[in-house]
Amino acid sequence: MIKVTTTKATHRGVEIAVMSDNDGFVTVYSCTNTSGRPKMSPKWFPTQGEAIANERNEIDQVLR
């Protein structure tokens, strides 16, 4: 089941929220942000750090 975690971050003034999904064996992480750009499908990563880094990269691409 997908849950929003308590981990939050900001990058260039855009808020980032981390989500987790646990299938009973493995937990994976994805992010959403407040940039207003819709996502086609979430990308899942094995760590929160990787998910946040990816989200920061996506925000940089939108704000260029």
Side-chain angles (χ1 to χ4, degrees), residues 8-32:
K8 299 202 184 315
T10 58
H11 181 66
R12 299 179 87 190
V14 178
E15 294 179 19
I16 299 171
V18 181
M19 301 177 297
S20 67
D21 188 11
N22 186 313
D23 66 1
F25 298 102
V26 176
T27 301
V28 291
Y29 301 91
S30 184
C31 292
T32 61

Side-chain angles (χ1 to χ4, degrees), residues 14 31-41 43 54-64:
V14 178
C31 292
T32 61
N33 68 61
T34 60
S35 70
R37 181 177 178 219
K39 292 187 177 202
M40 299 306 279
S41 63
K43 294 180 185 174
N54 179 71
E55 200 67 20
R56 288 178 175 158
N57 196 18
E58 288 186 12
I59 290 168
D60 285 340
Q61 292 175 7
V62 170
L63 296 179
R64 286 185 188 204

